[in-house]
Amino acid sequence: MSAKSAAKPTPLLAHPLLWTGTWFAAWVGARAVLESTTVPVWARVAAALAPVPLATMALLTTIRGAREMDELERRIQLEALAIAFILALLLIMTLGLMELAITLNRDDWSYRHVWAMLPMFYFGGVVWARKRYS
Amino acid sequence: MKNRLKVLRAERDWSQADLADRLAVSRQTINSIETGKYDPSLPLALRIGKLFDQPVEVIFTLDGE
């Protein structure tokens, strides 16, 4: 957290966690709608696209938050993202190779499930980088 | 890179939080600079020099100097 943000609390609607949370809730809702077979096609498409505006708000508030960070916090976030990016590449490339080597169960290893590991890589990177500078 | 930040701060009886407020950075940034885990950017080093009214090269020195 930056000194600026400590002195002036971020308004709730400008907080990235709020929008990330509602984005996730919209994704869960979309999954529930799309798993129903009785929903018309237009509603299925609307449900699939419902998380997009919330993700856009999460992106905009995250960029704004990054601009308000102090220089060490920016360094920590950069290192966390670098770690998460490399680990995400490794995961996807390894899954691609494993798919060629053996038959993977799509219920366990499809993109519907694997994406959830990406935020974990990022938060793991944040913990590692924060520890390095503390 | 070595620095005299902790000494200068102690001379003024400032806490890390006090110094962080004066420089508009986080307390963690001050702690990381003092412990030598993080080298500040040039603008922050200049702000530190201005705050303590000393040249940057007096506060920050390269290892081996």
Side-chain angles (χ1 to χ4, degrees), chain A residues 1-3 70-73 75-76 130 132-134, chain B residues 20 24-26 28-29 31-32 37-38 40-41 44:
Chain A
M1 190 171 64
S2 72
D70 81 340
E71 58 183 61
L72 177 61
E73 188 61 29
R75 170 80 68 93
I76 289 169
R130 212 175 281 288
R132 187 179 164 201
Y133 290 107
S134 63
Chain B
V25 295
S26 64
Q28 188 189 5
T29 301
N31 184 58
S32 298
K37 291 178 180 170
Y38 175 68
S41 66
L44 179 55

PDB file of all heavy atoms in Angstrom, chain A residues 1-3 70-73 75-76 130 132-134, chain B residues 20 24-26 28-29 31-32 37-38 40-41 44:
ATOM      1  N   MET A   1       0.848  -1.195   0.000  1.00  0.00           N
ATOM      2  CA  MET A   1       0.000   0.000   0.000  1.00  0.00           C
ATOM      3  C   MET A   1       0.878   1.237   0.000  1.00  0.00           C
ATOM      4  O   MET A   1       1.864   1.308   0.683  1.00  0.00           O
ATOM      5  CB  MET A   1      -0.899  -0.016   1.230  1.00  0.00           C
ATOM      6  CG  MET A   1      -1.947   1.055   1.165  1.00  0.00           C
ATOM      7  SD  MET A   1      -3.179   0.897   2.475  1.00  0.00           S
ATOM      8  CE  MET A   1      -2.211   1.165   3.924  1.00  0.00           C
ATOM      9  N   SER A   2       0.517   2.211  -0.783  1.00  0.00           N
ATOM     10  CA  SER A   2       1.344   3.396  -0.871  1.00  0.00           C
ATOM     11  C   SER A   2       1.012   4.369   0.253  1.00  0.00           C
ATOM     12  O   SER A   2      -0.028   4.299   0.886  1.00  0.00           O
ATOM     13  CB  SER A   2       1.104   4.079  -2.213  1.00  0.00           C
ATOM     14  OG  SER A   2      -0.157   4.689  -2.211  1.00  0.00           O
ATOM     15  N   ALA A   3       1.943   5.297   0.479  1.00  0.00           N
ATOM     16  CA  ALA A   3       1.691   6.320   1.487  1.00  0.00           C
ATOM     17  C   ALA A   3       0.528   7.201   1.071  1.00  0.00           C
ATOM     18  O   ALA A   3      -0.259   7.634   1.890  1.00  0.00           O
ATOM     19  CB  ALA A   3       2.945   7.144   1.698  1.00  0.00           C
ATOM     20  N   ASP A  70       3.526   3.326  -4.529  1.00  0.00           N
ATOM     21  CA  ASP A  70       4.872   3.877  -4.455  1.00  0.00           C
ATOM     22  C   ASP A  70       5.831   2.946  -5.199  1.00  0.00           C
ATOM     23  O   ASP A  70       5.438   1.873  -5.674  1.00  0.00           O
ATOM     24  CB  ASP A  70       5.288   4.156  -3.013  1.00  0.00           C
ATOM     25  CG  ASP A  70       5.770   2.923  -2.290  1.00  0.00           C
ATOM     26  OD1 ASP A  70       5.458   1.812  -2.722  1.00  0.00           O
ATOM     27  OD2 ASP A  70       6.465   3.072  -1.281  1.00  0.00           O
ATOM     28  N   GLU A  71       7.081   3.385  -5.354  1.00  0.00           N
ATOM     29  CA  GLU A  71       7.978   2.677  -6.286  1.00  0.00           C
ATOM     30  C   GLU A  71       8.316   1.260  -5.844  1.00  0.00           C
ATOM     31  O   GLU A  71       8.471   0.380  -6.688  1.00  0.00           O
ATOM     32  CB  GLU A  71       9.240   3.499  -6.537  1.00  0.00           C
ATOM     33  CG  GLU A  71      10.023   3.833  -5.288  1.00  0.00           C
ATOM     34  CD  GLU A  71      11.223   4.709  -5.628  1.00  0.00           C
ATOM     35  OE1 GLU A  71      11.014   5.816  -6.142  1.00  0.00           O
ATOM     36  OE2 GLU A  71      12.355   4.267  -5.388  1.00  0.00           O
ATOM     37  N   LEU A  72       8.411   1.008  -4.547  1.00  0.00           N
ATOM     38  CA  LEU A  72       8.716  -0.357  -4.104  1.00  0.00           C
ATOM     39  C   LEU A  72       7.534  -1.287  -4.380  1.00  0.00           C
ATOM     40  O   LEU A  72       7.714  -2.426  -4.831  1.00  0.00           O
ATOM     41  CB  LEU A  72       9.064  -0.379  -2.608  1.00  0.00           C
ATOM     42  CG  LEU A  72       9.327  -1.774  -2.041  1.00  0.00           C
ATOM     43  CD1 LEU A  72      10.505  -2.438  -2.733  1.00  0.00           C
ATOM     44  CD2 LEU A  72       9.564  -1.716  -0.545  1.00  0.00           C
ATOM     45  N   GLU A  73       6.321  -0.793  -4.129  1.00  0.00           N
ATOM     46  CA  GLU A  73       5.139  -1.623  -4.387  1.00  0.00           C
ATOM     47  C   GLU A  73       5.034  -1.947  -5.882  1.00  0.00           C
ATOM     48  O   GLU A  73       4.664  -3.062  -6.255  1.00  0.00           O
ATOM     49  CB  GLU A  73       3.882  -0.899  -3.894  1.00  0.00           C
ATOM     50  CG  GLU A  73       2.619  -1.744  -3.947  1.00  0.00           C
ATOM     51  CD  GLU A  73       2.675  -3.003  -3.084  1.00  0.00           C
ATOM     52  OE1 GLU A  73       3.378  -2.994  -2.058  1.00  0.00           O
ATOM     53  OE2 GLU A  73       2.032  -3.997  -3.447  1.00  0.00           O
ATOM     54  N   ARG A  75       7.546  -2.297  -7.889  1.00  0.00           N
ATOM     55  CA  ARG A  75       8.575  -3.331  -8.111  1.00  0.00           C
ATOM     56  C   ARG A  75       8.045  -4.699  -7.690  1.00  0.00           C
ATOM     57  O   ARG A  75       8.216  -5.697  -8.392  1.00  0.00           O
ATOM     58  CB  ARG A  75       9.839  -2.963  -7.330  1.00  0.00           C
ATOM     59  CG  ARG A  75      10.902  -4.047  -7.254  1.00  0.00           C
ATOM     60  CD  ARG A  75      11.746  -4.135  -8.502  1.00  0.00           C
ATOM     61  NE  ARG A  75      12.570  -2.959  -8.651  1.00  0.00           N
ATOM     62  CZ  ARG A  75      13.827  -2.863  -8.204  1.00  0.00           C
ATOM     63  NH1 ARG A  75      14.382  -3.894  -7.608  1.00  0.00           N
ATOM     64  NH2 ARG A  75      14.521  -1.762  -8.391  1.00  0.00           N
ATOM     65  N   ILE A  76       7.390  -4.738  -6.516  1.00  0.00           N
ATOM     66  CA  ILE A  76       6.842  -5.997  -6.007  1.00  0.00           C
ATOM     67  C   ILE A  76       5.799  -6.549  -6.986  1.00  0.00           C
ATOM     68  O   ILE A  76       5.809  -7.738  -7.321  1.00  0.00           O
ATOM     69  CB  ILE A  76       6.230  -5.781  -4.595  1.00  0.00           C
ATOM     70  CG1 ILE A  76       7.350  -5.551  -3.584  1.00  0.00           C
ATOM     71  CG2 ILE A  76       5.351  -6.953  -4.181  1.00  0.00           C
ATOM     72  CD1 ILE A  76       6.883  -5.080  -2.218  1.00  0.00           C
ATOM     73  N   ARG A 130       7.110  -9.700  -1.759  1.00  0.00           N
ATOM     74  CA  ARG A 130       6.959  -8.884  -0.554  1.00  0.00           C
ATOM     75  C   ARG A 130       7.934  -9.353   0.529  1.00  0.00           C
ATOM     76  O   ARG A 130       8.531  -8.545   1.235  1.00  0.00           O
ATOM     77  CB  ARG A 130       5.521  -8.971  -0.041  1.00  0.00           C
ATOM     78  CG  ARG A 130       5.034  -7.713   0.625  1.00  0.00           C
ATOM     79  CD  ARG A 130       3.583  -7.801   0.995  1.00  0.00           C
ATOM     80  NE  ARG A 130       2.672  -7.592  -0.109  1.00  0.00           N
ATOM     81  CZ  ARG A 130       2.455  -6.427  -0.692  1.00  0.00           C
ATOM     82  NH1 ARG A 130       3.101  -5.359  -0.293  1.00  0.00           N
ATOM     83  NH2 ARG A 130       1.601  -6.312  -1.692  1.00  0.00           N
ATOM     84  N   ARG A 132      10.751 -10.811   0.011  1.00  0.00           N
ATOM     85  CA  ARG A 132      12.106 -10.460  -0.410  1.00  0.00           C
ATOM     86  C   ARG A 132      12.497  -9.053   0.032  1.00  0.00           C
ATOM     87  O   ARG A 132      13.656  -8.780   0.327  1.00  0.00           O
ATOM     88  CB  ARG A 132      12.166 -10.572  -1.941  1.00  0.00           C
ATOM     89  CG  ARG A 132      13.539 -10.409  -2.489  1.00  0.00           C
ATOM     90  CD  ARG A 132      13.560 -10.535  -3.977  1.00  0.00           C
ATOM     91  NE  ARG A 132      14.828  -9.987  -4.447  1.00  0.00           N
ATOM     92  CZ  ARG A 132      15.058  -9.573  -5.658  1.00  0.00           C
ATOM     93  NH1 ARG A 132      14.118  -9.646  -6.564  1.00  0.00           N
ATOM     94  NH2 ARG A 132      16.219  -9.071  -5.990  1.00  0.00           N
ATOM     95  N   TYR A 133      11.542  -8.139   0.038  1.00  0.00           N
ATOM     96  CA  TYR A 133      11.860  -6.740   0.355  1.00  0.00           C
ATOM     97  C   TYR A 133      11.504  -6.362   1.797  1.00  0.00           C
ATOM     98  O   TYR A 133      11.545  -5.192   2.149  1.00  0.00           O
ATOM     99  CB  TYR A 133      11.141  -5.799  -0.612  1.00  0.00           C
ATOM    100  CG  TYR A 133      11.706  -5.875  -2.007  1.00  0.00           C
ATOM    101  CD1 TYR A 133      10.996  -6.495  -3.037  1.00  0.00           C
ATOM    102  CD2 TYR A 133      12.960  -5.357  -2.292  1.00  0.00           C
ATOM    103  CE1 TYR A 133      11.521  -6.583  -4.313  1.00  0.00           C
ATOM    104  CE2 TYR A 133      13.486  -5.440  -3.564  1.00  0.00           C
ATOM    105  CZ  TYR A 133      12.764  -6.056  -4.571  1.00  0.00           C
ATOM    106  OH  TYR A 133      13.287  -6.140  -5.828  1.00  0.00           O
ATOM    107  N   SER A 134      11.112  -7.337   2.617  1.00  0.00           N
ATOM    108  CA  SER A 134      10.735  -6.967   3.992  1.00  0.00           C
ATOM    109  C   SER A 134      11.848  -7.360   4.961  1.00  0.00           C
ATOM    110  O   SER A 134      12.721  -8.138   4.631  1.00  0.00           O
ATOM    111  CB  SER A 134       9.418  -7.621   4.378  1.00  0.00           C
ATOM    112  OG  SER A 134       9.559  -9.019   4.363  1.00  0.00           O
TER     113      SER A 134
ATOM    114  N   ALA B  20       8.516   8.017   6.108  1.00  0.00           N
ATOM    115  CA  ALA B  20       7.694   7.598   4.965  1.00  0.00           C
ATOM    116  C   ALA B  20       6.660   8.662   4.625  1.00  0.00           C
ATOM    117  O   ALA B  20       6.456   8.991   3.450  1.00  0.00           O
ATOM    118  CB  ALA B  20       7.010   6.270   5.286  1.00  0.00           C
ATOM    119  N   ALA B  24       6.317  10.650   1.166  1.00  0.00           N
ATOM    120  CA  ALA B  24       5.153  10.128   0.433  1.00  0.00           C
ATOM    121  C   ALA B  24       5.427   8.749  -0.160  1.00  0.00           C
ATOM    122  O   ALA B  24       5.138   8.483  -1.329  1.00  0.00           O
ATOM    123  CB  ALA B  24       4.713  11.113  -0.653  1.00  0.00           C
ATOM    124  N   VAL B  25       6.031   7.889   0.652  1.00  0.00           N
ATOM    125  CA  VAL B  25       6.202   6.483   0.256  1.00  0.00           C
ATOM    126  C   VAL B  25       5.708   5.612   1.424  1.00  0.00           C
ATOM    127  O   VAL B  25       5.328   6.139   2.472  1.00  0.00           O
ATOM    128  CB  VAL B  25       7.684   6.136  -0.065  1.00  0.00           C
ATOM    129  CG1 VAL B  25       8.173   6.903  -1.275  1.00  0.00           C
ATOM    130  CG2 VAL B  25       8.586   6.399   1.140  1.00  0.00           C
ATOM    131  N   SER B  26       5.743   4.302   1.231  1.00  0.00           N
ATOM    132  CA  SER B  26       5.280   3.417   2.301  1.00  0.00           C
ATOM    133  C   SER B  26       6.400   3.178   3.321  1.00  0.00           C
ATOM    134  O   SER B  26       7.585   3.354   3.004  1.00  0.00           O
ATOM    135  CB  SER B  26       4.832   2.080   1.713  1.00  0.00           C
ATOM    136  OG  SER B  26       5.930   1.425   1.130  1.00  0.00           O
ATOM    137  N   GLN B  28       7.287   0.354   4.347  1.00  0.00           N
ATOM    138  CA  GLN B  28       8.058  -0.792   3.845  1.00  0.00           C
ATOM    139  C   GLN B  28       9.180  -0.328   2.911  1.00  0.00           C
ATOM    140  O   GLN B  28      10.274  -0.900   2.908  1.00  0.00           O
ATOM    141  CB  GLN B  28       7.136  -1.764   3.100  1.00  0.00           C
ATOM    142  CG  GLN B  28       7.846  -3.061   2.718  1.00  0.00           C
ATOM    143  CD  GLN B  28       7.039  -3.954   1.803  1.00  0.00           C
ATOM    144  OE1 GLN B  28       5.960  -3.576   1.357  1.00  0.00           O
ATOM    145  NE2 GLN B  28       7.546  -5.130   1.519  1.00  0.00           N
ATOM    146  N   THR B  29       8.929   0.724   2.151  1.00  0.00           N
ATOM    147  CA  THR B  29       9.961   1.253   1.261  1.00  0.00           C
ATOM    148  C   THR B  29      11.137   1.774   2.080  1.00  0.00           C
ATOM    149  O   THR B  29      12.303   1.488   1.772  1.00  0.00           O
ATOM    150  CB  THR B  29       9.385   2.380   0.375  1.00  0.00           C
ATOM    151  OG1 THR B  29       8.307   1.843  -0.385  1.00  0.00           O
ATOM    152  CG2 THR B  29      10.428   2.950  -0.557  1.00  0.00           C
ATOM    153  N   ASN B  31      11.977   0.915   5.136  1.00  0.00           N
ATOM    154  CA  ASN B  31      12.637  -0.232   5.770  1.00  0.00           C
ATOM    155  C   ASN B  31      13.539  -0.963   4.764  1.00  0.00           C
ATOM    156  O   ASN B  31      14.671  -1.327   5.087  1.00  0.00           O
ATOM    157  CB  ASN B  31      11.574  -1.180   6.331  1.00  0.00           C
ATOM    158  CG  ASN B  31      12.199  -2.339   7.072  1.00  0.00           C
ATOM    159  OD1 ASN B  31      12.937  -2.140   8.026  1.00  0.00           O
ATOM    160  ND2 ASN B  31      11.932  -3.545   6.631  1.00  0.00           N
ATOM    161  N   SER B  32      13.055  -1.156   3.547  1.00  0.00           N
ATOM    162  CA  SER B  32      13.839  -1.878   2.534  1.00  0.00           C
ATOM    163  C   SER B  32      15.084  -1.098   2.120  1.00  0.00           C
ATOM    164  O   SER B  32      16.134  -1.688   1.872  1.00  0.00           O
ATOM    165  CB  SER B  32      12.976  -2.148   1.289  1.00  0.00           C
ATOM    166  OG  SER B  32      11.893  -2.949   1.627  1.00  0.00           O
ATOM    167  N   LYS B  37      17.973  -3.668   1.011  1.00  0.00           N
ATOM    168  CA  LYS B  37      17.313  -4.625   0.110  1.00  0.00           C
ATOM    169  C   LYS B  37      16.764  -3.944  -1.142  1.00  0.00           C
ATOM    170  O   LYS B  37      16.415  -4.614  -2.110  1.00  0.00           O
ATOM    171  CB  LYS B  37      16.178  -5.336   0.853  1.00  0.00           C
ATOM    172  CG  LYS B  37      16.676  -6.273   1.927  1.00  0.00           C
ATOM    173  CD  LYS B  37      15.529  -6.913   2.669  1.00  0.00           C
ATOM    174  CE  LYS B  37      16.071  -7.853   3.731  1.00  0.00           C
ATOM    175  NZ  LYS B  37      15.024  -8.316   4.644  1.00  0.00           N
ATOM    176  N   TYR B  38      16.645  -2.640  -1.086  1.00  0.00           N
ATOM    177  CA  TYR B  38      16.082  -1.912  -2.224  1.00  0.00           C
ATOM    178  C   TYR B  38      16.829  -0.598  -2.399  1.00  0.00           C
ATOM    179  O   TYR B  38      17.026   0.147  -1.428  1.00  0.00           O
ATOM    180  CB  TYR B  38      14.591  -1.644  -1.977  1.00  0.00           C
ATOM    181  CG  TYR B  38      13.943  -0.803  -3.038  1.00  0.00           C
ATOM    182  CD1 TYR B  38      13.761  -1.295  -4.328  1.00  0.00           C
ATOM    183  CD2 TYR B  38      13.518   0.494  -2.757  1.00  0.00           C
ATOM    184  CE1 TYR B  38      13.178  -0.509  -5.304  1.00  0.00           C
ATOM    185  CE2 TYR B  38      12.928   1.272  -3.732  1.00  0.00           C
ATOM    186  CZ  TYR B  38      12.762   0.766  -5.000  1.00  0.00           C
ATOM    187  OH  TYR B  38      12.197   1.535  -5.971  1.00  0.00           O
ATOM    188  N   PRO B  40      16.712   3.072  -3.929  1.00  0.00           N
ATOM    189  CA  PRO B  40      15.647   3.973  -4.386  1.00  0.00           C
ATOM    190  C   PRO B  40      15.917   4.501  -5.793  1.00  0.00           C
ATOM    191  O   PRO B  40      17.059   4.507  -6.266  1.00  0.00           O
ATOM    192  CB  PRO B  40      15.703   5.115  -3.362  1.00  0.00           C
ATOM    193  CG  PRO B  40      17.095   5.119  -2.874  1.00  0.00           C
ATOM    194  CD  PRO B  40      17.550   3.692  -2.902  1.00  0.00           C
ATOM    195  N   SER B  41      14.850   4.954  -6.431  1.00  0.00           N
ATOM    196  CA  SER B  41      14.993   5.604  -7.734  1.00  0.00           C
ATOM    197  C   SER B  41      15.733   6.930  -7.540  1.00  0.00           C
ATOM    198  O   SER B  41      15.831   7.447  -6.412  1.00  0.00           O
ATOM    199  CB  SER B  41      13.617   5.863  -8.338  1.00  0.00           C
ATOM    200  OG  SER B  41      12.920   6.812  -7.540  1.00  0.00           O
ATOM    201  N   LEU B  44      13.537   9.645  -5.893  1.00  0.00           N
ATOM    202  CA  LEU B  44      13.364   9.450  -4.449  1.00  0.00           C
ATOM    203  C   LEU B  44      14.665   9.750  -3.715  1.00  0.00           C
ATOM    204  O   LEU B  44      14.649  10.372  -2.640  1.00  0.00           O
ATOM    205  CB  LEU B  44      12.895   8.014  -4.158  1.00  0.00           C
ATOM    206  CG  LEU B  44      12.696   7.670  -2.674  1.00  0.00           C
ATOM    207  CD1 LEU B  44      11.736   8.656  -1.991  1.00  0.00           C
ATOM    208  CD2 LEU B  44      12.169   6.242  -2.525  1.00  0.00           C
TER     209      LEU B  44
END
